[in-house]
Amino acid sequence: MAREVSVDEVARTVARLCQEANYDLGGDVRERLRQALETEESPAGREILELLMQNADLAAAERVPMCQDTGLAVVFLDIGQEVSLVGGDLTEAVNEGVRRGYREGYLRKSMVEHPLRRKNTGDNTPAVLHTRIVPGDRVRITVAPKGGGSENMSALAMLKPADGEEGVIDFVVGQVERAGPNPCPPVVVGVGIGGNFEMAALLAKRALLRPLGQYSEDPDNARLEREILRRANNLGIGPQGFGGRTTALWVSVETHPAHIVSLPVAVNLNCHAARHKEAVI
Amino acid sequence: MAEISLTTPLSEEGVRELRAGDRVLLSGYIYTARDAAHKRLVELLEAGEDLPIELEGQVIYYVGPTPPKPGQVIGSAGPTTSLRMDPYTPPLLERGLRAMIGKGSRTPAVKEAMREYGAVYFAAIGGAGALIAKCIKEARVVAYEDLGPEAIRRLRVENFPLIVVNDTQGNDLYEEGARRYRIED
Ligand code: SF4
């Protein structure tokens, strides 16, 4: 028997997660900011890290957004195959959740209805929705509001297999360098390697959902994460780009099997306002 | 590091003394404007018409705040990426705009115009929108109300923490800072 989950509950949960994600910076990000404060050599850099921590505390205490760019609402749904979704259209329910969350949470509406005509939709919909069918009878909902400043500094390259690990590292670190101060460093770097063109980008986005401080379980990926982090922090860009040791707080790498002739690599940059919240219903 | 307290309007002489890397606490009235408002201002200038705000000695803050909660003066209000305003900026500097507040690098054309007309570019802390909102004591829409969050607002700020990125001598804190802390592999 399928377990019934009402789409209204999905909408309510999405609305709540939109607000929580924008008000409450994750404990893992705060912990990395604290650690960065110990290693940061630049006086201005240290002061900025402190102010970013104060900002996160203030946002959480006053229930206000940590950043004014409250993002495009990226919503991930992992739907158990034994779940039956009842009571209406699921996509519409997710959008209703975003609409309500952004209105009731006093979040900024940052979506335009057409990329060239650019008229604001007025309610921050539609969400960018990624669904997956998984075993089980639960629905896991993750809301990851994504700011435009860091999203705009993301990139994808179709490397040659011969470029290998060095080619991947150079491309990713090069992208952090090209981004410079624009994505509000210190950044979090999501890297997707393999799959194909569109999958690499999605892997990079999903990599940003992994808690900071947790390396990949694949030892080669973990080594890559360490090396990219080290090289990114040697760039000297520092907090807000004013110079310093802390350019990136963390690097997460996700990989997937690829075609024999392909080595796709995607870099999704996230700012220190690395927001995502999840719930299971 | 010493902090320099400044109050708007800013004089050209005062601005010419600032150097990249200086920390500033800004007080007084400043204006908000983003791409859409900039486009309208420049179109008015090109048509030879009057602007809805006087630019001489003034400061423009690139910000699109969140809606205020009941009882708040303004919502979260950190800087947005300045690059999008670059194509519209030189004509405003020519009209006496003395400073801009945003985040991220400016184009060579904007840096050159800052040198020529005597203006600076300040960075505010990107992503510290909740904290920055505390420095904003008044906010009033003064032009282009139809643009919603992108309307031009007049803000009264107190001790708004800023850092000089580009000064009138051609220095750039982003370039110098990264150079100073870079480690070659
Ligand atoms: S890059 Fe991130 S922290 Fe910076 S303004 Fe955009 S959303 Fe906010």
Side-chain angles (χ1 to χ4, degrees), chain A:
Chain A
M1 256 292 281
R3 175 174 169 261
E4 291 195 348
V5 170
S6 97
V7 298
D8 277 349
E9 193 173 352
V10 172
R12 273 198 304 279
T13 307
V14 167
R16 173 171 62 82
L17 295 176
C18 288
Q19 300 181 27
E20 286 177 4
N22 271 296
Y23 302 162
D24 296 313
L25 188 63
D28 57 331
V29 186
R30 290 162 184 262
E31 182 53 30
R32 286 302 292 174
L33 286 169
R34 253 192 303 277
Q35 290 171 5
L37 194 57
E38 286 165 21
T39 49
E40 181 54 62
E41 294 160 18
S42 141
R46 274 201 302 276
E47 190 175 315
I48 285 157
L49 293 170
E50 271 173 17
L51 290 173
L52 293 180
M53 288 191 277
Q54 278 177 29
N55 184 67
D57 290 344
L58 183 69
E62 299 199 349
R63 314 309 293 159
V64 296
M66 61 190 88
C67 178
Q68 75 291 333
D69 185 350
T70 53
L72 173 159
V74 184
V75 179
F76 296 90
L77 291 183
D78 283 353
I79 304 166
Q81 63 192 36
E82 289 154 48
V83 170
S84 170
L85 291 156
V86 296
D89 178 327
L90 176 65
T91 303
E92 182 36 46
V94 167
N95 285 330
E96 177 55 26
V98 169
R99 195 173 289 129
R100 238 187 272 161
Y102 275 69
R103 186 182 63 233
E104 292 168 5
Y106 295 91
L107 306 179
R108 201 180 77 185
K109 317 326 179 260
S110 310
M111 289 298 280
V112 294
E113 47 73 54
H114 184 282
L116 296 173
R117 293 191 295 264
R118 307 205 73 80
K119 188 174 165 311
N120 198 304
T121 62
D123 59 7
N124 216 51
T125 67
V128 168
L129 176 58
H130 300 294
T131 53
R132 245 183 345 199
I133 305 297
V134 298
D137 64 356
R138 304 278 139 176
V139 178
R140 177 183 296 273
I141 305 177
T142 307
V143 176
K146 189 65 171 68
S150 52
E151 192 75 357
N152 283 349
M153 293 295 124
S154 302
L156 188 143
M158 302 302 285
L159 299 183
K160 294 187 292 298
D163 294 332
E165 192 169 313
E166 229 4 75
V168 169
I169 295 172
D170 283 349
F171 174 66
V172 177
V173 175
Q175 191 54 34
V176 174
E177 183 167 25
R178 280 185 289 279
N182 290 347
C184 294
V187 293
V188 178
V189 187
V191 183
I193 310 172
N196 58 358
F197 180 76
E198 80 274 12
M199 186 173 230
L202 191 52
L203 287 170
K205 181 71 80 192
R206 285 192 188 276
L208 294 176
L209 302 179
R210 190 180 334 138
L212 310 193
Q214 186 181 312
Y215 288 105
S216 169
E217 283 169 14
D218 180 314
D220 287 325
N221 292 2
R223 190 165 38 80
L224 213 51
E225 289 167 350
R226 286 195 173 84
E227 181 60 11
I228 295 171
L229 184 62
R230 188 184 70 79
R231 297 237 326 242
N233 283 334
N234 281 351
L235 291 172
I237 293 167
Q240 297 294 309
F242 303 147
R245 283 279 68 80
T246 324
T247 302
L249 291 174
W250 197 253
V251 178
S252 292
V253 172
E254 295 291 338
T255 52
H256 193 272
H259 190 281
I260 44 173
V261 302
S262 300
L263 177 51
V265 185
V267 188
N268 196 198
L269 289 185
N270 208 357
C271 38
H272 59 82
R275 295 158 282 189
H276 51 91
K277 289 284 179 240
E278 67 169 45
V280 177
I281 54 180

